[in-house]
Amino acid sequence: MLKNWINIFIYHIKNNKFFTALNVLGLSIGIAGLIFAILYWNEEQSYNEWNPNKEVVFQSICQISPDNFWSTNVSSFEDYFKTDFKEIESYCYLDNWYAEKLIQYNDKKGIFKIIDAQKTFFEMFPFNFIKGSAKTALKDKSCIAISKQMALNLFGNIDVLGKTVIYTDKKLVVTGVYTIPGKSSLAPEAVVNLIDEKLPTEKDSWGNFNNGLLIKLKNPADKNKVIAKMESLLFKNRTAKWAKKEGLTIAEWQKKNGVENMKIFLEPLKDARLHSIVDGYAEGKGNYQFLMIMMGLSVLILILSLFNYINLATANAIKRAKEVGVRKILGASKSNIVLQFIFETFIITSFSILLSLVIVELSLPFYNNFLEKELAIHGSQFFVELGFIFIVTVILAGIFPALYISNFETLKVLKGNFGRSKSGVWLRNGMLILQFAIAAFFIIGSYIVYEQVQFLTQRDLGFKGDQVLEINYRKPYFDPNDQNAVKNLYTRYETVKQEISKIKGVSQVSTGAFSFGGGGTSSSTFSYHGINIQGQNMAVDFGMLEMLKIKLSQGRYFDSRISSDTITNILINETALKLMKEKNPIGKIVKWNEHKLKIIGIVKNFNIWGPKAQIPPMVFFHLKTISWMNLNVNHIFVKVNPAEMQNTIADLEKFWKQNITTDYPFKYDFTDKAYARNYKEFVNQRNLFSLLNIIVILIALFGLFALASYSIQSRMKEIAIRKTLGAETNVLLKELSKQYIIFCVIGFLIAVFPAYYLLNKWLEDFVFRIDIPILPFLIGFVALLSLTLIVVLSRTYQATKVDVLKYLKYE
């Protein structure tokens, strides 16, 4: 029996090469799309899955204001954790982000990603230690634990316990070598414990949020108890204490400062990658919305492919009607025929799976580049998912065509005049309408996404950075508690600035304590007439705003000839001015951290955070006004003559390596390009939608061609009779195509609301966005109708040119 089925299948492949190719190609494209989405899904979902503590380790997040969530905390909790928090098994203060630092062993050097954390770090992230022990790896400030890869890079082997390395002028002893079992929110190449020296200096600073904090609970159900205790401590030592100091009641102080009690959130490690309210780990936060969009669109495409397959299978069923009739006469049961056609679907799906894997493998490098990932086809989980896709595809794509064909009436099909099930017709037509709806959704959606991305990229950002280099600037190691060392940072910068200014092609040099795309690095509250505003601290050097063509709406820029500009004068932006509710701000005094500062200018709003970020209140200081802001200077901005660009960059690199640092590479970017990377995610979404739009339209056209072919094939006798009675070609074209125009209109109308609703939800995340116009819907309808008419009319026209005697000879 099986051999007979195979022989019949091969026979029909030979006689229906085109339909078979469409079947395999349509399914393979749909399956390939879903495989791509699954690979991305598995990658994102795998973060921290290996970690046995993912349910009991929590990151502490502070809500400073209604719109400000920080992954940094006060260090003052530590003493209370030791005595008053029985629910806590352990805690770990750490730097949330990697420090890329030079580590040296003898004559060999390397730049590695370092985390500074307390000794309990490996209780939170229990990496596998192949040398040493997690319990003793960070016992004091002289220890360093390193990854296996770092050991191989720096030492050439992993037998490195007890060896001494140089790290920021300190000698550290290697006390452990570890491997990381899987994707992790923190995956440092080395971990040190220098933070214990810093924490005591911030013990009573309830206003300094400088360190990340991980808490391991004995029972996750006690999370709310711990939160309540932490919030109580903040209230007691911050709100109540500061209100008393100012001679105010709690309510008066809160009203004056415009804040409620500070809130704490404890977020489990399992939610860190995709569901966190902050980007609080060094490996970054995944884009859950984009992940769901990819999965949703991929499932839609597979559904479209399945509809297409079913329509193609039923369209081809007419040619096999007599075969089924003969098999029934010879004793084949209905179940036997169903199994035969499911078997054929099994073979076609197997070919489709193999072809989809080839498509994925060939396209994976481009897909990885698109997502900036290193995805690969491997792992038992992936092959289980692939097996599930295979089974579902065989069931969904095989059962309906098999049941449809097996229900042919034997006597009628042998006479060449078999009937069609009304329910079957409605189901096929319904699938075609859904295909039209999905195609319309993609056409409308891709146009709206394209328009939004165009709007973002063409919008006036409030600054010009096309000829300005943003050069990474590494400061020398110093003791942050040494005030003289902090002040000397500006002196060093001034020296660097003067030397760079001498390089041919350099027209201007300046700096600021922020980056384009990354934003500011510190925030403080300032008050004006009882109004308290949480502002971004934007420390700048002379000429920084002018160099970037950031405009003023009132007042003047900082001027090196005016001494007060480095002592008491500030600028604010338009957002801050709006919150101050002051019509004439120039010359007005604001209170900032016990400093009385005078406003000399209003900076027009500009956005350096990204397309989804609100423009916050900003306060602009000169770097000498608040000396500690020099700690946040990590870039030097250099404006270059475009005619001398190539030579100037080469001279800058030479100067940098000779005079600034020989150990770290010279890294730079153009300011506008650095900021533009914020848009890459949305450009990728636009490109993805456009690509999927093309695929969806092709698959939808396959399905339309199939059903048109099926419908016309079943009406060939009718067409022959009409032609014999004198019907003209244009009349036949109109009669045969009108139902598809109706289906197209219905499908489009079904797609209108989902497209508007879902695209509007997507646009809600943008501060600067377009309003959805009617044009995308008009374009979508016209495009869909045009493609429908092209396919249907071409297929119908072919049908009107056939030999009528071929279809009338039975009469």
Side-chain angles (χ1 to χ4, degrees), residues 1 5 309 320 323-324 327-328 332-347 394-395 397-408:
M1 181 180 69
W5 288 357
Y309 177 89
R320 303 188 63 174
E323 173 199 329
V324 173
R327 290 179 64 81
K328 284 189 173 183
S333 65
K334 181 178 178 180
S335 61
N336 182 267
I337 293 170
V338 168
L339 288 174
Q340 178 190 349
F341 283 95
I342 289 179
F343 172 74
E344 292 181 4
T345 303
F346 176 90
I347 296 176
V394 170
I395 292 173
I399 286 181
F400 174 73
L403 290 175
Y404 173 74
I405 293 170
S406 67
N407 281 326
F408 286 165

Side-chain angles (χ1 to χ4, degrees), residues 30-75:
I31 294 170
L34 189 56
I35 288 174
F36 278 127
I38 285 173
L39 289 174
Y40 180 37
W41 174 274
N42 289 346
E43 166 86 1
E44 292 296 297
Q45 295 288 344
S46 68
Y47 273 83
N48 304 311
E49 278 301 306
W50 61 272
N51 194 328
N53 298 323
K54 61 182 180 291
E55 303 278 355
V56 295
V57 170
F58 295 80
Q59 182 182 46
S60 176
I61 297 169
C62 300
Q63 184 179 8
I64 306 300
S65 67
D67 299 320
N68 280 320
F69 295 84
W70 292 354
S71 60
T72 51
N73 297 257
V74 297
S75 303

Side-chain angles (χ1 to χ4, degrees), residues 688-699:
L688 173 69
F689 228 118
S690 299
L691 176 62
L692 294 181
N693 189 35
I694 294 171
I695 293 172
V696 164
I697 289 173
L698 286 175
I699 295 175

Side-chain angles (χ1 to χ4, degrees), residues 90-103:
S90 61
Y91 62 89
C92 179
Y93 278 101
L94 74 163
D95 289 336
N96 301 62
W97 305 99
Y98 300 135
E100 294 189 358
K101 296 288 188 179
L102 184 76
I103 294 182

Side-chain angles (χ1 to χ4, degrees), residues 341-404:
F341 283 95
I342 289 179
F343 172 74
E344 292 181 4
T345 303
F346 176 90
I347 296 176
I348 289 176
T349 304
S350 299
F351 280 122
S352 300
I353 289 277
L354 292 174
L355 181 58
S356 68
L357 289 173
V358 171
I359 293 171
V360 171
E361 189 66 34
L362 293 175
S363 306
L364 202 53
F366 304 99
Y367 186 64
N368 282 332
N369 184 58
F370 170 70
L371 290 176
E372 297 182 346
K373 295 279 189 181
E374 295 181 0
L375 305 179
I377 299 177
H378 63 80
S380 58
Q381 180 184 1
F382 169 75
F383 289 106
V384 169
E385 291 163 341
L386 191 63
F388 179 76
I389 293 172
F390 177 81
I391 293 169
V392 170
T393 301
V394 170
I395 292 173
L396 295 180
I399 286 181
F400 174 73
L403 290 175
Y404 173 74

Side-chain angles (χ1 to χ4, degrees), residues 549-564:
K549 297 182 180 179
I550 296 171
K551 298 177 181 178
L552 301 183
S553 59
Q554 298 182 50
R556 64 175 178 83
Y557 294 105
F558 290 122
D559 191 330
S560 60
R561 296 168 297 183
I562 302 174
S563 60
S564 58

